[in-house]
């Protein structure tokens, strides 16, 4: 009898453990590259055709004040990987992601019982680093940062189109020109990324939940949609770039095809946007296929699906191109969450929330969904708490920054609560203040006309930067800096030499931004 009770106890324990594992939702994390927040229909842009992502927003929640704290590829991805703020993960501008961090999204989810897989652009170093993934299939946009590296997409391309050139369209990674993709659309990296994700979901039969990161390399330039998608925008009302009362110094500035600043005319910017939007529609179609596959597989109801981007794209706003700027086109990103049916919350599907969120919030959100504890020293917050109860206490504002890129004066730190944005330029001591509610295009700088608000936010910046020491705040005042700090003291110590770090800084400083 005693042995029978022991056996029953063990069976119950196994059943309870299995039930607990079964309650963990699958997590599908979809991230695009360089997609500004307003480049979606669900974000109010009537020109953008994005029905599948819009449907995701209708069945979930959209966080309209979402940001990328260091708006360029690698530091944004460091924050995403670690759930930490820039100062705490250590990357204050464009450089190389560390080989290992205290907190890493794929590793922590793997330890929580997930099968973890990454598809598409990772932008890590080494380029096939796993950080806890069971496996990755990567598309690095032709980037080669180590001897002998060939991305999985490029090898696949050779199999599908022997002898063809994947770069036949002839537009570089950071150009503001646009053109039509010159090969069959099923050879495009957006197709490969989406279709590879579909195949993995179709083949997934594990007795554990799935964490799948699907990372598209577009709409980042080249702006190269297949003709079918560009045709959808033939008569679309493409919005013109924002211009303001503070950007006259850039008016008429000439530049080359990769210029970070330049006045190339409104029509040129509109054509770039037309192609950029068409690339988003291509991605949207692949997102629809991924969601349909989840439904066909019977996984959709028990899946947390999140959609975001690493940073935005100025697309000619204020004569600025690309990213690394504090302005909305560069730093404001999509942030959509569709929660699993098992999550009981008070938030109605289709809600738009104004709570300020950031890339660092995804890792704690995923840990929360997995039933894991969120470390006390992780800077990010779980947005599932807002879905459970929108009245939950939340941060008052978020910090943004970027080390010097493209020009000496483009070295800044900013704070925003979604209504006000304050920007402090380290090298020049210049300040800018914008009311994002009345002026979403940041056309009117209020720094000289609203003394009360500027003093309020200046003090917040003092408080924010104080932990960095007298190189940033001295005697309660902000300090102008003559030198750029690219890596904070919290950057993980690894096997990279100081010369490598200096090389990274020089690449970033000269604007040789290969992301």
């Amino acid at each position: 009898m005693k042995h029978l009770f022991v056996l029953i106890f063990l069976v119950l324990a196994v059943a309870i453990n299995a039930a607990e594992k079964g309650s963990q939702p699958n997590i599908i994390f979809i991230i695009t590259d360089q997609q500004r927040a307003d480049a979606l229909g669900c974000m109010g842009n009537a020109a953008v055709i994005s029905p599948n992502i819009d449907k995701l927003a209708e069945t979930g929640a959209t966080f309209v004040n979402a940001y990328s704290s260091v708006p360029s590829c690698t530091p944004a991805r460091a924050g995403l990987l670690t759930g930490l703020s820039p100062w705490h993960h250590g990357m204050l501008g464009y450089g190389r992601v560390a080989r290992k961090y205290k907190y890493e999204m794929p590793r922590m989810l793997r330890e929580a019982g997930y099968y973890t897989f990454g598809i598409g652009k990772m932008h890590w170093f080494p380029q096939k680093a796993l950080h806890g993934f069971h496996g990755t299939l990567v598309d690095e946009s032709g980037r080669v940062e180590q001897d002998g590296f060939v991305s999985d997409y490029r090898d696949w391309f050779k199999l599908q189109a022997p002898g063809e050139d994947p770069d036949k369209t002839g537009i570089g990674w950071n150009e503001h020109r646009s053109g039509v993709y010159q090969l069959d659309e099923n050879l495009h990296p957006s197709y490969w990324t989406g279709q590879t994700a579909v195949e993995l979901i179709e083949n997934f039969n594990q007795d554990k939940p799935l964490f799948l990161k699907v990372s598209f390399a577009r709409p980042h330039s080249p702006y190269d949609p297949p003709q079918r998608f560009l045709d959808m925008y033939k008569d679309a009302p493409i919005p013109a770039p924002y211009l303001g009362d503070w950007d006259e110094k850039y008016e008429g500035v000439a530049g080359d095809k990769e210029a970070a600043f330049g006045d190339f005319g409104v029509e040129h910017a509109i054509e770039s946007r037309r192609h950029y939007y068409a690339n988003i529609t291509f991605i949207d179609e692949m997102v629809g296929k991924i969601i349909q596959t989840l439904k066909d597989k019977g996984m959709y109801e028990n899946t947390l699906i999140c959609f975001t981007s690493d940073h935005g794209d100025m697309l000619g706003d204020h004569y600025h191109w690309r990213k690394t700027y504090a302005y909305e086109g560069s730093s404001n990103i999509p942030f959509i969450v569709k929660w699993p049916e098992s999550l009981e919350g008070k938030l109605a599907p289709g809600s738009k929330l104004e709570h300020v969120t950031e890339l660092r919030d995804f890792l704690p959100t995923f840990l929360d969904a997995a039933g894991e504890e969120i470390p006390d020293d992780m800077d990010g917050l779980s947005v599932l708490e807002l879905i459970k109860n929108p009245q939950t206490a939340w941060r008052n504002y978020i910090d943004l920054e970027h080390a010097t890129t493209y020009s000496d004066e483009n070295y800044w730190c900013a704070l925003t609560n979604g209504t006000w944005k304050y920007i402090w330029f380290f090298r020049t001591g210049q300040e800018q203040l914008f009311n994002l509610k009345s002026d979403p295009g940041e056309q009117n700088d209020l720094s000289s006309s609203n003394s009360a608000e500027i003093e309020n936010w200046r003090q917040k910046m003092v408080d924010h930067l104080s932990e960095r020491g007298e190189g940033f705040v001295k005697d309660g005042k902000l300090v102008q800096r003559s030198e750029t700090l690219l890596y904070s003291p919290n950057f993980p110590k690894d096997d990279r030499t100081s010369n490598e770090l200096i090389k990274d800084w020089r690449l970033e400083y000269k604007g040789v931004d290969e992301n």
Side-chain angles (χ1 to χ4, degrees), residues 117-228:
F117 205 90
I119 295 171
K121 182 176 178 179
M122 301 295 130
H123 212 161
W124 294 336
F125 185 85
Q127 288 177 274
K128 284 288 284 184
L130 294 175
H131 292 287
F133 276 125
H134 284 93
T136 60
L137 292 170
V138 303
D139 168 27
E140 293 291 281
S141 303
R143 186 182 306 101
V144 177
E145 296 181 352
Q146 57 200 105
D147 291 344
F149 173 78
V150 180
S151 76
D152 299 294
Y153 162 69
R154 298 248 162 176
D155 271 341
W156 171 87
F157 183 95
K158 293 173 188 175
L159 180 67
Q160 302 298 318
E164 284 282 7
D165 179 7
D167 302 314
K168 188 176 181 179
T169 304
I171 301 174
W173 299 334
N174 288 311
E175 292 191 27
H176 47 78
R177 296 186 304 150
S178 57
V180 175
Y181 189 63
Q182 295 298 299
L183 298 166
D184 186 285
E185 69 176 56
N186 289 349
L187 295 174
H188 195 280
S190 292
Y191 176 84
W192 175 84
T193 302
Q195 184 59 32
T196 303
V198 164
E199 291 173 10
L200 187 138
I201 295 167
E202 288 176 337
N203 295 329
F204 186 74
N205 290 304
Q206 295 276 326
D207 60 352
K208 59 179 65 177
L210 171 65
F211 169 63
L212 175 60
K213 178 183 177 183
V214 187
S215 182
F216 291 93
R218 300 291 190 275
H220 188 299
S221 48
Y223 308 139
D224 63 345
Q227 187 68 53
R228 175 167 70 93

Side-chain angles (χ1 to χ4, degrees), residues 225-226 229-230 233 273-283:
F229 294 97
L230 187 62
Y233 287 86
R273 290 167 181 234
R274 191 184 311 276
H275 289 70
Y276 177 87
Y277 291 169
N279 260 338
I280 291 170
T281 301
F282 192 179
I283 291 170

Side-chain angles (χ1 to χ4, degrees), residues 243-261:
L243 299 176
D245 62 6
W246 54 271
D247 54 26
E248 295 90 345
K249 66 180 178 179
Y250 301 105
E251 186 176 355
V253 171
D256 63 21
K257 60 187 180 181
E258 293 190 356
F261 310 94

Side-chain angles (χ1 to χ4, degrees), residues 297-336:
K297 192 76 172 178
M299 297 169 64
Y300 178 80
E301 288 77 11
N302 190 39
T303 296
L304 173 68
I305 304 175
C306 295
F307 179 88
T308 193
S309 189
D310 58 346
H311 52 76
D313 190 326
M314 291 297 288
L315 289 171
D317 283 350
H318 307 291
Y319 309 108
H320 287 50
W321 298 87
R322 297 154 69 175
K323 59 274 186 181
T324 77
Y325 313 109
Y327 308 118
E328 292 291 278
S330 168
S331 62
N332 188 208
I333 57 173
F335 196 121
I336 299 170

